[in-house]
Amino acid sequence: MAARNTNNKVKVGVKLVNDHAKLPTKGSVEAACYDIFLPDDVYLAPHSTKAVGTGLAFSIPKGYRLDMYLRSGVAAKTPVRLANSVGKVDSDYTGEVKMLLTNEGGIPVRFYQGDRICQFELNKVLDLQLEET
């Protein structure tokens, strides 16, 4: 087994902007993403889209972005999807991060405070030099 470098952590500031918000956590040591806990109950009417607050504002280092994904269990068990498939949060955005959730089904869906429906990972942003060819 190859040795792992454990000193490559990137600091990301997180501000709790809702009284019920919790810091994101990883489900296991090897998890690629951090789970986000809902700070409030959420009701999604059939065939509707809603911006749902996470209760979190991030201080993302320059040169990085947060990529937000729906948790696979939510995708497998409900008709709820992220409207933009993968949410992207740029380093210059400092407001509350929201999830754009769509209920594609014909029945209402409810989530409750503390449910984990989305997750995020931090990724590097590559600076490109575009050349017309």
Side-chain angles (χ1 to χ4, degrees):
M1 184 191 297
R4 290 184 221 148
N5 179 357
T6 58
N7 297 326
N8 60 353
K9 294 187 178 185
V10 177
K11 286 187 182 179
V12 176
V14 183
K15 182 176 183 181
L16 306 179
V17 296
N18 177 304
D19 289 340
H20 302 289
K22 291 175 52 173
L23 286 176
T25 62
K26 290 174 73 170
S28 71
V29 174
E30 298 295 324
C33 295
Y34 287 79
D35 294 330
I36 294 176
F37 299 87
L38 281 177
D40 300 302
D41 294 347
V42 173
Y43 172 84
L44 293 169
H47 307 292
S48 68
T49 299
K50 181 187 279 190
V52 175
T54 63
L56 306 170
F58 293 89
S59 178
I60 302 167
K62 186 176 179 178
Y64 289 89
R65 70 177 187 274
L66 288 183
D67 292 335
M68 305 261 311
Y69 306 96
L70 196 66
R71 293 188 77 232
S72 57
V74 174
K77 297 173 186 170
T78 75
V80 174
R81 303 292 177 258
L82 281 177
N84 51 349
S85 296
V86 176
K88 303 283 185 177
V89 184
D90 298 320
S91 63
D92 61 352
Y93 179 74
T94 58
E96 180 183 11
V97 171
K98 297 186 179 186
M99 303 166 285
L100 195 55
L101 299 177
T102 296
N103 180 355
E104 295 179 345
I107 59 171
V109 175
R110 290 186 189 274
F111 296 107
Y112 299 95
Q113 179 183 334
D115 284 351
R116 298 170 301 148
I117 61 170
C118 280
Q119 56 190 341
F120 76 87
E121 68 180 342
L122 185 70
N123 288 302
K124 272 197 141 326
V125 174
L126 299 176
D127 194 15
L128 306 178
Q129 180 178 334
L130 300 176
E131 294 180 8
E132 185 175 353
T133 58

